[in-house]
Amino acid sequence: MSKLKIAVVVGSTRIGRFAERPAKWIAEIAVSRPELEVEVLDLLDYPMSFLGQASASSAENETAERWKKKLREFDGYIFTAAEYNHGPTAVLKNAIDLGEFVHKPVAFVGYGGVGGARAVEQLRLIFVEMSAVSVKTGVHISFPEYLAVAKEGKSLNDYAHLVEAAKNQIDQLIWWGKALKAARAV
C-alpha cells in the first residue's frame, strides 16, 4: 500500500497564535513515520467566509472550493485545536463545515484550558456527523505546558507524556488510515 497522506491543520488564525508550534511539532513526529507523507495546512492560507454567509464574495467562494479540493488529497487529518470559551475556534469549525472528511480518520492536538479537552470533545462529535472516524488518543497540552513553551522557551518534546501521546495517536491514525483507505477503494 502506498504512503498515507496526512494533513496537519493549523486550527487558529489569531494574531500571536500558539497553533503553529503544536502543528509543526506533531508534523515532525508524524513525518518520521515511513508510512506517512505529511503536509501542514494553515487556515491563514484559506480565508473563507462563514458557511451560509450571504456576503461571501466570489474570491471567498473560490477559496472555499480550493480548500475542499485540497482536503480531498488526504487520507487523514490532525487538527490543532485551541480552546476558547470551552470550544474550538470559530474559524476551525467553519473550515470543518466547509470540508469533506467522509470515511477518513481525524486526530487532535488540543491546548488551552484543560489541554483543549472540551474543544476536542466537541470536534469529535462534529466529525461523527461528517462520517469521519476520530482516533482514541488525543494530545492535550495543558495551560502550564502551553505557558512554558510560549513564554519560557521550553519545547513540547520536553514533556515525555506529550511525545508518548503523539506517538500513540499517530499509530492509531495509521491503523485507521490504512483500514479506511482500503474500504474506500472497494
Side-chain angles (χ1 to χ4, degrees):
M1 183 179 274
S2 62
K3 287 187 174 192
L4 294 172
K5 192 166 180 187
I6 303 298
V8 175
V9 179
V10 183
S12 174
T13 58
R14 280 192 172 186
I15 295 170
R17 66 192 175 162
F18 180 75
E20 293 166 319
R21 292 179 187 188
K24 181 181 177 193
W25 171 76
I26 196 72
E28 287 172 357
I29 293 171
V31 81
S32 71
R33 296 295 298 268
E35 306 96 319
L36 300 179
E37 179 182 330
V38 180
E39 183 176 343
V40 176
L41 300 181
D42 193 332
L43 292 180
L44 281 175
D45 297 329
Y46 297 89
M48 298 174 275
S49 293
F50 282 87
L51 183 65
Q53 192 172 1
S55 64
S57 69
S58 62
E60 289 169 322
N61 289 332
E62 288 172 17
T63 301
E65 287 305 314
R66 185 170 55 91
W67 170 248
K68 286 181 190 180
K69 182 179 178 186
K70 185 66 176 171
L71 289 175
R72 288 184 199 115
E73 296 176 13
F74 298 96
D75 300 305
Y77 312 88
I78 302 171
F79 295 89
T80 63
E83 183 172 310
Y84 300 129
N85 300 318
H86 292 210
T89 62
V91 70
L92 178 57
K93 172 64 167 79
N94 188 61
I96 291 166
D97 286 343
L98 292 169
E100 296 176 10
F101 306 94
V102 174
H103 302 143
K104 294 184 180 180
V106 295
F108 306 97
V109 178
Y111 61 92
V114 298
R118 296 170 292 215
V120 167
E121 287 306 308
Q122 287 184 32
L123 291 169
R124 289 178 194 270
L125 294 171
I126 292 163
F127 276 107
V128 166
E129 285 301 310
M130 301 188 87
S131 295
V133 175
S134 174
V135 303
K136 181 181 185 219
T137 300
V139 177
H140 299 283
I141 303 165
S142 71
F143 195 65
E145 293 159 349
Y146 160 86
L147 287 176
V149 171
K151 308 239 184 244
E152 299 169 17
K154 289 262 194 183
S155 165
L156 292 170
N157 285 322
D158 292 335
Y159 299 96
H161 66 283
L162 293 177
V163 173
E164 181 181 350
K167 288 178 179 178
N168 290 336
Q169 179 182 83
I170 291 167
D171 286 344
Q172 294 165 24
L173 190 67
I174 290 169
W175 190 94
W176 279 107
K178 287 179 179 179
L180 292 170
K181 186 174 185 176
R184 287 191 312 272
V186 175

